[in-house]
Amino acid sequence: ESCLASSGRRTTTPRMENLGPNLDPEEAAEALRRAQGKLAAGDLDGAKRFAEKSERMNPTNAAQALLKSLDDLIEFRPGTKWAKAVERILEASDHYAVLGLTPEAVSADPSAPKQKYKRLALEVHPDKNKAGGAEAAFKKLNEAHETLSDSKKRREYDGR
């Protein structure tokens, strides 16, 4: 928008969106508090909206850290592919089910447990998968792999 200055020259008034960060630190802090409240109430999407608003208005380490945490929570919340992979392994009834194999498939191809393990380990490794139970699922996956990859341990397991 333009206006006439006292000198008679036209000047432009700055618009709020052109000012960039640090518009209103108090309002940004309030948005961050609201984001934390939404998070405490379990509203991840609402929390992310307020955290993003706070970050746009006044970038802070606290807002950035909250956004990172929210991104992880949203990506790994129940129902996502990451959470489903963990759930499937934790609910498996035996070592074969953990790896998604049958005893016949392992007898026919002794390298099958290793191949399945490699693929599943990428999905449930706790460094990559932040879903609840990822560490327990990874331990269960390791145990199944160790047992079914070793022919002696597999025979003992099958004979139980």
Side-chain angles (χ1 to χ4, degrees), residues 4 31 69 85 87 125 133:
L4 211 49
S69 296
E87 186 178 316
H125 193 285

Side-chain angles (χ1 to χ4, degrees), residues 81-91 123-124 129 131-138:
K81 76 173 193 166
W82 300 101
K84 287 179 181 177
V86 167
E87 186 178 316
R88 189 192 66 72
I89 289 174
L90 291 178
E91 292 177 352
E123 290 181 23
V124 299
N129 189 333
E135 193 169 324
F138 190 68

